[in-house]
Amino acid sequence: MRKTIRWGIGAVGLVVVGAFAATALEADPEGPPVGACARIEGTAKAPRYLALDCSSDRATVKVAKVVEEGGECPTGGAPYSTYVGPATLCLIPNFVVGGCYRQDRKTGLRKVDCTTAGSIRVAKASKDPVNCGDDRTLSYPEPAVTFCLSRPA
């Protein structure tokens, strides 16, 4: 029987990311632009937003879409992490193919060495529909991206 992959975009990650977005929007009413990457540090009650280049191993989230007040993130795929304020930020993980990740209480998700217990590995990422086989599929409709996640070998 195939084991279900459990990984780091859980409730803790969503709370921390949501709190991050609140902090980011307080600093800039329009919020960060689509494609901006960051690392969230601290706690859900006192998050710290650290804007980073998307190529940084420390950048764990990416702004996928910014929708107007009262708008909602796209549906039909994996749920986005969101924050609703003057605008709604729709956030996705900033996964790198071949990289391994694990849930983290302080950052929601962090890049780790692939030998780390409980980690998941990003086997594939595609803008087109892809069959992940036995790997877990994580798809977002906008921007269209599918990640195939597996346990590290």
Side-chain angles (χ1 to χ4, degrees), residues 14-78:
L14 294 177
V15 169
V16 171
V17 171
F20 138 73
T23 301
L25 288 177
E26 286 174 12
D28 179 359
E30 295 180 18
V34 170
C37 292
R39 177 179 179 88
I40 293 76
E41 298 177 340
T43 65
K45 291 185 179 183
R48 291 178 302 176
Y49 168 63
L50 178 60
L52 295 168
D53 185 271
C54 291
S55 65
S56 171
D57 284 348
R58 297 181 62 214
T60 57
V61 294
K62 181 182 283 190
V63 178
K65 184 170 178 112
V66 179
V67 295
E68 293 182 19
E69 183 178 356
E72 294 183 7
C73 292
T75 59

Tab-separated table of all heavy atoms in Angstrom, residues 14-78:
chain	number	residue	atom	x	y	z
A	14	LEU	N	-0.342	28.028	6.574
A	14	LEU	CA	-1.332	28.971	6.078
A	14	LEU	C	-1.506	30.144	7.029
A	14	LEU	O	-1.632	31.285	6.601
A	14	LEU	CB	-2.674	28.272	5.857
A	14	LEU	CG	-2.686	27.214	4.756
A	14	LEU	CD1	-4.053	26.553	4.695
A	14	LEU	CD2	-2.331	27.811	3.418
A	15	VAL	N	-1.491	29.875	8.326
A	15	VAL	CA	-1.639	30.948	9.308
A	15	VAL	C	-0.446	31.887	9.241
A	15	VAL	O	-0.595	33.106	9.210
A	15	VAL	CB	-1.797	30.380	10.736
A	15	VAL	CG1	-1.673	31.476	11.778
A	15	VAL	CG2	-3.133	29.670	10.868
A	16	VAL	N	0.757	31.321	9.179
A	16	VAL	CA	1.957	32.158	9.132
A	16	VAL	C	1.987	32.968	7.845
A	16	VAL	O	2.260	34.158	7.849
A	16	VAL	CB	3.236	31.297	9.277
A	16	VAL	CG1	4.483	32.125	9.013
A	16	VAL	CG2	3.294	30.683	10.662
A	17	VAL	N	1.676	32.328	6.721
A	17	VAL	CA	1.677	33.047	5.445
A	17	VAL	C	0.608	34.130	5.435
A	17	VAL	O	0.835	35.236	4.968
A	17	VAL	CB	1.510	32.070	4.263
A	17	VAL	CG1	1.284	32.812	2.967
A	17	VAL	CG2	2.751	31.195	4.152
A	18	GLY	N	-0.567	33.846	5.968
A	18	GLY	CA	-1.629	34.847	6.041
A	18	GLY	C	-1.217	36.030	6.896
A	18	GLY	O	-1.454	37.182	6.541
A	19	ALA	N	-0.559	35.731	8.005
A	19	ALA	CA	-0.095	36.809	8.870
A	19	ALA	C	1.005	37.613	8.176
A	19	ALA	O	1.062	38.826	8.282
A	19	ALA	CB	0.415	36.232	10.191
A	20	PHE	N	1.861	36.930	7.425
A	20	PHE	CA	2.890	37.617	6.644
A	20	PHE	C	2.255	38.602	5.683
A	20	PHE	O	2.673	39.735	5.547
A	20	PHE	CB	3.740	36.616	5.866
A	20	PHE	CG	4.046	37.050	4.462
A	20	PHE	CD1	4.961	38.057	4.214
A	20	PHE	CD2	3.388	36.489	3.388
A	20	PHE	CE1	5.221	38.480	2.918
A	20	PHE	CE2	3.643	36.900	2.102
A	20	PHE	CZ	4.565	37.898	1.867
A	21	ALA	N	1.240	38.161	5.003
A	21	ALA	CA	0.597	39.009	4.006
A	21	ALA	C	0.019	40.256	4.671
A	21	ALA	O	0.085	41.344	4.109
A	21	ALA	CB	-0.485	38.230	3.270
A	22	ALA	N	-0.531	40.093	5.851
A	22	ALA	CA	-1.078	41.240	6.572
A	22	ALA	C	0.032	42.251	6.851
A	22	ALA	O	-0.142	43.448	6.658
A	22	ALA	CB	-1.717	40.787	7.879
A	23	THR	N	1.185	41.763	7.272
A	23	THR	CA	2.316	42.644	7.543
A	23	THR	C	2.797	43.316	6.268
A	23	THR	O	3.068	44.503	6.238
A	23	THR	CB	3.472	41.841	8.178
A	23	THR	OG1	2.984	41.249	9.372
A	23	THR	CG2	4.654	42.726	8.487
A	24	ALA	N	2.893	42.561	5.186
A	24	ALA	CA	3.361	43.113	3.916
A	24	ALA	C	2.417	44.196	3.418
A	24	ALA	O	2.856	45.226	2.920
A	24	ALA	CB	3.490	42.004	2.868
A	25	LEU	N	1.116	43.990	3.559
A	25	LEU	CA	0.157	44.972	3.065
A	25	LEU	C	0.104	46.215	3.940
A	25	LEU	O	-0.217	47.287	3.460
A	25	LEU	CB	-1.233	44.356	2.940
A	25	LEU	CG	-1.374	43.366	1.780
A	25	LEU	CD1	-2.769	42.758	1.782
A	25	LEU	CD2	-1.080	44.014	0.451
A	26	GLU	N	0.430	46.067	5.231
A	26	GLU	CA	0.485	47.249	6.078
A	26	GLU	C	1.626	48.155	5.628
A	26	GLU	O	1.515	49.365	5.655
A	26	GLU	CB	0.688	46.848	7.539
A	26	GLU	CG	-0.564	46.271	8.169
A	26	GLU	CD	-0.309	45.738	9.572
A	26	GLU	OE1	0.767	46.005	10.138
A	26	GLU	OE2	-1.185	45.060	10.097
A	27	ALA	N	2.730	47.545	5.185
A	27	ALA	CA	3.880	48.330	4.757
A	27	ALA	C	3.648	48.950	3.379
A	27	ALA	O	4.134	50.024	3.090
A	27	ALA	CB	5.124	47.446	4.722
A	28	ASP	N	2.931	48.274	2.510
A	28	ASP	CA	2.666	48.736	1.154
A	28	ASP	C	1.211	48.431	0.839
A	28	ASP	O	0.849	47.280	0.646
A	28	ASP	CB	3.588	48.011	0.173
A	28	ASP	CG	3.361	48.422	-1.266
A	28	ASP	OD1	2.475	49.263	-1.530
A	28	ASP	OD2	4.084	47.912	-2.131
A	29	PRO	N	0.332	49.445	0.797
A	29	PRO	CA	-1.095	49.197	0.609
A	29	PRO	C	-1.429	48.379	-0.628
A	29	PRO	O	-2.427	47.707	-0.660
A	29	PRO	CB	-1.712	50.594	0.515
A	29	PRO	CG	-0.667	51.555	0.896
A	29	PRO	CD	0.643	50.849	0.887
A	30	GLU	N	-0.612	48.451	-1.653
A	30	GLU	CA	-0.878	47.665	-2.850
A	30	GLU	C	-0.304	46.261	-2.736
A	30	GLU	O	-0.601	45.406	-3.548
A	30	GLU	CB	-0.317	48.379	-4.072
A	30	GLU	CG	-1.024	49.698	-4.333
A	30	GLU	CD	-0.478	50.405	-5.549
A	30	GLU	OE1	0.191	49.754	-6.375
A	30	GLU	OE2	-0.713	51.606	-5.656
A	31	GLY	N	0.512	46.019	-1.743
A	31	GLY	CA	1.111	44.702	-1.545
A	31	GLY	C	2.241	44.448	-2.515
A	31	GLY	O	2.515	45.231	-3.415
A	32	PRO	N	2.901	43.321	-2.339
A	32	PRO	CA	3.992	42.966	-3.245
A	32	PRO	C	3.442	42.581	-4.619
A	32	PRO	O	2.295	42.162	-4.738
A	32	PRO	CB	4.652	41.777	-2.547
A	32	PRO	CG	3.622	41.237	-1.626
A	32	PRO	CD	2.726	42.374	-1.262
A	33	PRO	N	4.252	42.708	-5.662
A	33	PRO	CA	3.773	42.388	-7.012
A	33	PRO	C	3.724	40.879	-7.266
A	33	PRO	O	4.382	40.098	-6.576
A	33	PRO	CB	4.823	43.047	-7.913
A	33	PRO	CG	6.074	43.011	-7.092
A	33	PRO	CD	5.614	43.230	-5.665
A	34	VAL	N	2.963	40.487	-8.276
A	34	VAL	CA	2.919	39.089	-8.697
A	34	VAL	C	4.335	38.651	-9.045
A	34	VAL	O	5.086	39.388	-9.686
A	34	VAL	CB	1.986	38.919	-9.916
A	34	VAL	CG1	2.122	37.537	-10.526
A	34	VAL	CG2	0.550	39.191	-9.520
A	35	GLY	N	4.702	37.470	-8.592
A	35	GLY	CA	6.031	36.935	-8.855
A	35	GLY	C	7.046	37.248	-7.770
A	35	GLY	O	8.135	36.687	-7.770
A	36	ALA	N	6.694	38.136	-6.829
A	36	ALA	CA	7.612	38.461	-5.735
A	36	ALA	C	7.749	37.263	-4.817
A	36	ALA	O	6.792	36.543	-4.557
A	36	ALA	CB	7.097	39.671	-4.957
A	37	CYS	N	8.955	37.049	-4.317
A	37	CYS	CA	9.214	35.929	-3.406
A	37	CYS	C	9.661	36.459	-2.054
A	37	CYS	O	10.163	37.574	-1.942
A	37	CYS	CB	10.285	35.013	-3.982
A	37	CYS	SG	9.742	34.129	-5.452
A	38	ALA	N	9.460	35.631	-1.043
A	38	ALA	CA	9.790	36.046	0.318
A	38	ALA	C	10.005	34.836	1.206
A	38	ALA	O	9.720	33.699	0.821
A	38	ALA	CB	8.670	36.902	0.887
A	39	ARG	N	10.464	35.120	2.373
A	39	ARG	CA	10.553	34.146	3.460
A	39	ARG	C	9.793	34.759	4.620
A	39	ARG	O	9.908	35.942	4.895
A	39	ARG	CB	11.999	33.896	3.857
A	39	ARG	CG	12.127	32.948	5.039
A	39	ARG	CD	13.609	32.720	5.353
A	39	ARG	NE	13.790	31.847	6.471
A	39	ARG	CZ	13.849	30.520	6.398
A	39	ARG	NH1	13.750	29.939	5.218
A	39	ARG	NH2	14.022	29.789	7.467
A	40	ILE	N	9.011	33.951	5.272
A	40	ILE	CA	8.259	34.414	6.427
A	40	ILE	C	8.961	33.874	7.662
A	40	ILE	O	9.215	32.683	7.756
A	40	ILE	CB	6.803	33.927	6.383
A	40	ILE	CG1	6.021	34.572	5.230
A	40	ILE	CG2	6.098	34.289	7.669
A	40	ILE	CD1	6.305	34.036	3.928
A	41	GLU	N	9.277	34.765	8.575
A	41	GLU	CA	9.946	34.370	9.810
A	41	GLU	C	9.134	34.858	10.985
A	41	GLU	O	8.298	35.736	10.839
A	41	GLU	CB	11.354	34.963	9.853
A	41	GLU	CG	12.234	34.479	8.731
A	41	GLU	CD	13.612	35.119	8.729
A	41	GLU	OE1	13.792	36.197	9.334
A	41	GLU	OE2	14.514	34.534	8.118
A	42	GLY	N	9.384	34.312	12.145
A	42	GLY	CA	8.687	34.731	13.351
A	42	GLY	C	7.512	33.825	13.650
A	42	GLY	O	7.529	32.642	13.333
A	43	THR	N	6.467	34.400	14.245
A	43	THR	CA	5.280	33.639	14.628
A	43	THR	C	4.062	34.184	13.911
A	43	THR	O	4.121	35.244	13.287
A	43	THR	CB	5.042	33.739	16.150
A	43	THR	OG1	4.738	35.107	16.465
A	43	THR	CG2	6.252	33.273	16.955
A	44	ALA	N	2.936	33.483	14.030
A	44	ALA	CA	1.703	33.938	13.392
A	44	ALA	C	1.276	35.305	13.930
A	44	ALA	O	0.733	36.123	13.197
A	44	ALA	CB	0.592	32.913	13.599
A	45	LYS	N	1.542	35.570	15.214
A	45	LYS	CA	1.163	36.853	15.807
A	45	LYS	C	2.178	37.955	15.544
A	45	LYS	O	1.836	39.130	15.612
A	45	LYS	CB	0.965	36.690	17.316
A	45	LYS	CG	-0.264	35.869	17.656
A	45	LYS	CD	-0.481	35.827	19.143
A	45	LYS	CE	-1.733	35.014	19.448
A	45	LYS	NZ	-2.044	34.994	20.854
A	46	ALA	N	3.406	37.567	15.255
A	46	ALA	CA	4.456	38.558	15.005
A	46	ALA	C	5.341	38.108	13.839
A	46	ALA	O	6.515	37.845	14.008
A	46	ALA	CB	5.288	38.755	16.272
A	47	PRO	N	4.762	38.021	12.642
A	47	PRO	CA	5.560	37.576	11.497
A	47	PRO	C	6.488	38.678	11.004
A	47	PRO	O	6.228	39.862	11.196
A	47	PRO	CB	4.502	37.257	10.438
A	47	PRO	CG	3.390	38.190	10.770
A	47	PRO	CD	3.379	38.292	12.264
A	48	ARG	N	7.557	38.252	10.398
A	48	ARG	CA	8.477	39.184	9.753
A	48	ARG	C	8.590	38.770	8.298
A	48	ARG	O	8.855	37.618	7.997
A	48	ARG	CB	9.845	39.155	10.420
A	48	ARG	CG	9.820	39.744	11.819
A	48	ARG	CD	11.157	39.653	12.451
A	48	ARG	NE	11.514	38.224	12.472
A	48	ARG	CZ	12.664	37.742	12.898
A	48	ARG	NH1	13.575	38.542	13.336
A	48	ARG	NH2	12.899	36.448	12.878
A	49	TYR	N	8.395	39.720	7.408
A	49	TYR	CA	8.460	39.493	5.970
A	49	TYR	C	9.845	39.874	5.478
A	49	TYR	O	10.308	40.988	5.713
A	49	TYR	CB	7.386	40.342	5.294
A	49	TYR	CG	7.513	40.436	3.802
A	49	TYR	CD1	7.399	39.305	3.011
A	49	TYR	CD2	7.726	41.656	3.180
A	49	TYR	CE1	7.494	39.394	1.627
A	49	TYR	CE2	7.813	41.754	1.805
A	49	TYR	CZ	7.705	40.616	1.031
A	49	TYR	OH	7.799	40.700	-0.325
A	50	LEU	N	10.491	38.950	4.827
A	50	LEU	CA	11.814	39.205	4.284
A	50	LEU	C	11.748	38.982	2.772
A	50	LEU	O	11.675	37.846	2.309
A	50	LEU	CB	12.839	38.261	4.922
A	50	LEU	CG	14.271	38.353	4.425
A	50	LEU	CD1	14.842	39.754	4.666
A	50	LEU	CD2	15.129	37.311	5.129
A	51	ALA	N	11.704	40.073	2.012
A	51	ALA	CA	11.663	39.971	0.551
A	51	ALA	C	12.991	39.408	0.079
A	51	ALA	O	14.056	39.839	0.520
A	51	ALA	CB	11.420	41.351	-0.063
A	52	LEU	N	12.915	38.419	-0.797
A	52	LEU	CA	14.118	37.766	-1.304
A	52	LEU	C	14.013	37.532	-2.796
A	52	LEU	O	12.916	37.448	-3.351
A	52	LEU	CB	14.303	36.401	-0.613
A	52	LEU	CG	14.567	36.425	0.884
A	52	LEU	CD1	14.439	35.026	1.464
A	52	LEU	CD2	15.952	36.977	1.159
A	53	ASP	N	15.140	37.398	-3.431
A	53	ASP	CA	15.177	36.989	-4.824
A	53	ASP	C	14.621	35.563	-4.895
A	53	ASP	O	14.912	34.741	-4.035
A	53	ASP	CB	16.627	37.022	-5.325
A	53	ASP	CG	16.711	36.718	-6.795
A	53	ASP	OD1	16.822	35.518	-7.133
A	53	ASP	OD2	16.647	37.661	-7.601
A	54	CYS	N	13.843	35.286	-5.906
A	54	CYS	CA	13.216	33.966	-6.022
A	54	CYS	C	14.220	32.833	-6.149
A	54	CYS	O	13.896	31.680	-5.863
A	54	CYS	CB	12.239	33.935	-7.191
A	54	CYS	SG	10.766	34.945	-6.916
A	55	SER	N	15.447	33.112	-6.543
A	55	SER	CA	16.463	32.070	-6.662
A	55	SER	C	17.098	31.711	-5.318
A	55	SER	O	17.837	30.741	-5.226
A	55	SER	CB	17.548	32.488	-7.658
A	55	SER	OG	18.249	33.619	-7.171
A	56	SER	N	16.798	32.462	-4.281
A	56	SER	CA	17.357	32.196	-2.960
A	56	SER	C	16.749	30.931	-2.354
A	56	SER	O	15.543	30.714	-2.434
A	56	SER	CB	17.077	33.375	-2.023
A	56	SER	OG	17.422	33.041	-0.687
A	57	ASP	N	17.583	30.102	-1.747
A	57	ASP	CA	17.096	28.908	-1.051
A	57	ASP	C	16.187	29.271	0.111
A	57	ASP	O	15.418	28.445	0.575
A	57	ASP	CB	18.266	28.079	-0.513
A	57	ASP	CG	18.970	27.288	-1.596
A	57	ASP	OD1	18.430	27.199	-2.727
A	57	ASP	OD2	20.067	26.759	-1.322
A	58	ARG	N	16.283	30.495	0.585
A	58	ARG	CA	15.474	30.926	1.729
A	58	ARG	C	14.098	31.442	1.325
A	58	ARG	O	13.234	31.604	2.170
A	58	ARG	CB	16.238	31.989	2.511
A	58	ARG	CG	17.544	31.426	3.086
A	58	ARG	CD	18.320	32.439	3.882
A	58	ARG	NE	17.522	32.868	5.013
A	58	ARG	CZ	17.553	34.100	5.517
A	58	ARG	NH1	18.336	35.007	4.994
A	58	ARG	NH2	16.806	34.420	6.544
A	59	ALA	N	13.869	31.708	0.039
A	59	ALA	CA	12.575	32.220	-0.438
A	59	ALA	C	11.599	31.050	-0.551
A	59	ALA	O	11.756	30.185	-1.400
A	59	ALA	CB	12.744	32.906	-1.782
A	60	THR	N	10.590	31.009	0.304
A	60	THR	CA	9.693	29.847	0.365
A	60	THR	C	8.296	30.098	-0.196
A	60	THR	O	7.562	29.144	-0.421
A	60	THR	CB	9.563	29.332	1.812
A	60	THR	OG1	9.100	30.404	2.637
A	60	THR	CG2	10.887	28.796	2.326
A	61	VAL	N	7.903	31.352	-0.401
A	61	VAL	CA	6.588	31.641	-0.974
A	61	VAL	C	6.725	32.611	-2.137
A	61	VAL	O	7.689	33.370	-2.232
A	61	VAL	CB	5.590	32.227	0.064
A	61	VAL	CG1	5.257	31.206	1.137
A	61	VAL	CG2	6.101	33.513	0.661
A	62	LYS	N	5.695	32.557	-3.015
A	62	LYS	CA	5.674	33.425	-4.189
A	62	LYS	C	4.256	33.959	-4.356
A	62	LYS	O	3.281	33.235	-4.163
A	62	LYS	CB	6.054	32.626	-5.430
A	62	LYS	CG	6.081	33.439	-6.712
A	62	LYS	CD	6.430	32.575	-7.909
A	62	LYS	CE	7.904	32.308	-7.928
A	62	LYS	NZ	8.344	31.684	-9.198
A	63	VAL	N	4.143	35.250	-4.690
A	63	VAL	CA	2.837	35.846	-4.959
A	63	VAL	C	2.404	35.379	-6.346
A	63	VAL	O	3.027	35.703	-7.349
A	63	VAL	CB	2.883	37.392	-4.895
A	63	VAL	CG1	1.516	37.977	-5.242
A	63	VAL	CG2	3.342	37.857	-3.521
A	64	ALA	N	1.322	34.592	-6.389
A	64	ALA	CA	0.819	34.051	-7.647
A	64	ALA	C	-0.157	35.008	-8.315
A	64	ALA	O	-0.192	35.110	-9.535
A	64	ALA	CB	0.137	32.708	-7.410
A	65	LYS	N	-0.949	35.692	-7.508
A	65	LYS	CA	-1.968	36.586	-8.062
A	65	LYS	C	-2.364	37.585	-6.986
A	65	LYS	O	-2.395	37.272	-5.806
A	65	LYS	CB	-3.182	35.767	-8.507
A	65	LYS	CG	-4.256	36.597	-9.187
A	65	LYS	CD	-5.318	35.708	-9.812
A	65	LYS	CE	-6.391	36.552	-10.425
A	65	LYS	NZ	-6.427	36.481	-11.852
A	66	VAL	N	-2.672	38.798	-7.412
A	66	VAL	CA	-3.230	39.822	-6.531
A	66	VAL	C	-4.590	40.168	-7.117
A	66	VAL	O	-4.694	40.538	-8.278
A	66	VAL	CB	-2.337	41.081	-6.476
A	66	VAL	CG1	-2.963	42.137	-5.583
A	66	VAL	CG2	-0.928	40.729	-6.003
A	67	VAL	N	-5.647	39.998	-6.309
A	67	VAL	CA	-6.994	40.302	-6.787
A	67	VAL	C	-7.552	41.482	-6.007
A	67	VAL	O	-7.167	41.732	-4.876
A	67	VAL	CB	-7.937	39.077	-6.704
A	67	VAL	CG1	-7.470	37.989	-7.636
A	67	VAL	CG2	-8.043	38.545	-5.296
A	68	GLU	N	-8.464	42.209	-6.635
A	68	GLU	CA	-9.039	43.401	-6.010
A	68	GLU	C	-9.831	43.053	-4.756
A	68	GLU	O	-10.250	41.914	-4.561
A	68	GLU	CB	-9.939	44.115	-7.010
A	68	GLU	CG	-9.182	44.712	-8.172
A	68	GLU	CD	-10.093	45.447	-9.126
A	68	GLU	OE1	-11.211	45.812	-8.735
A	68	GLU	OE2	-9.662	45.650	-10.271
A	69	GLU	N	-10.076	44.084	-3.949
A	69	GLU	CA	-10.835	43.927	-2.704
A	69	GLU	C	-12.127	43.161	-2.972
A	69	GLU	O	-12.855	43.454	-3.920
A	69	GLU	CB	-11.158	45.293	-2.110
A	69	GLU	CG	-11.874	45.214	-0.787
A	69	GLU	CD	-12.135	46.585	-0.190
A	69	GLU	OE1	-11.685	47.588	-0.780
A	69	GLU	OE2	-12.784	46.648	0.846
A	70	GLY	N	-12.387	42.173	-2.144
A	70	GLY	CA	-13.593	41.361	-2.284
A	70	GLY	C	-13.420	40.215	-3.264
A	70	GLY	O	-14.279	39.354	-3.371
A	71	GLY	N	-12.315	40.194	-3.988
A	71	GLY	CA	-12.054	39.121	-4.942
A	71	GLY	C	-11.573	37.866	-4.249
A	71	GLY	O	-11.244	37.870	-3.067
A	72	GLU	N	-11.555	36.797	-5.000
A	72	GLU	CA	-11.101	35.517	-4.460
A	72	GLU	C	-10.009	34.941	-5.345
A	72	GLU	O	-9.948	35.230	-6.539
A	72	GLU	CB	-12.275	34.538	-4.376
A	72	GLU	CG	-13.329	34.967	-3.371
A	72	GLU	CD	-14.442	33.935	-3.245
A	72	GLU	OE1	-14.345	32.843	-3.818
A	72	GLU	OE2	-15.419	34.250	-2.549
A	73	CYS	N	-9.197	34.091	-4.740
A	73	CYS	CA	-8.164	33.407	-5.501
A	73	CYS	C	-8.818	32.387	-6.423
A	73	CYS	O	-9.922	31.913	-6.150
A	73	CYS	CB	-7.193	32.708	-4.555
A	73	CYS	SG	-6.192	33.875	-3.599
A	74	PRO	N	-8.143	32.044	-7.516
A	74	PRO	CA	-8.688	31.053	-8.436
A	74	PRO	C	-8.974	29.724	-7.732
A	74	PRO	O	-8.317	29.382	-6.742
A	74	PRO	CB	-7.576	30.882	-9.474
A	74	PRO	CG	-6.784	32.137	-9.395
A	74	PRO	CD	-6.859	32.562	-7.958
A	75	THR	N	-9.952	28.994	-8.249
A	75	THR	CA	-10.291	27.681	-7.712
A	75	THR	C	-10.040	26.634	-8.784
A	75	THR	O	-9.770	26.953	-9.929
A	75	THR	CB	-11.766	27.628	-7.263
A	75	THR	OG1	-12.589	27.927	-8.397
A	75	THR	CG2	-12.040	28.612	-6.143
A	76	GLY	N	-10.165	25.380	-8.394
A	76	GLY	CA	-9.991	24.301	-9.343
A	76	GLY	C	-8.649	23.614	-9.228
A	76	GLY	O	-8.264	22.846	-10.094
A	77	GLY	N	-7.945	23.862	-8.158
A	77	GLY	CA	-6.646	23.230	-7.927
A	77	GLY	C	-6.354	23.225	-6.447
A	77	GLY	O	-7.258	23.279	-5.617
A	78	ALA	N	-5.076	23.187	-6.105
A	78	ALA	CA	-4.671	23.240	-4.704
A	78	ALA	C	-5.072	24.601	-4.135
A	78	ALA	O	-5.079	25.602	-4.855
A	78	ALA	CB	-3.165	23.050	-4.585
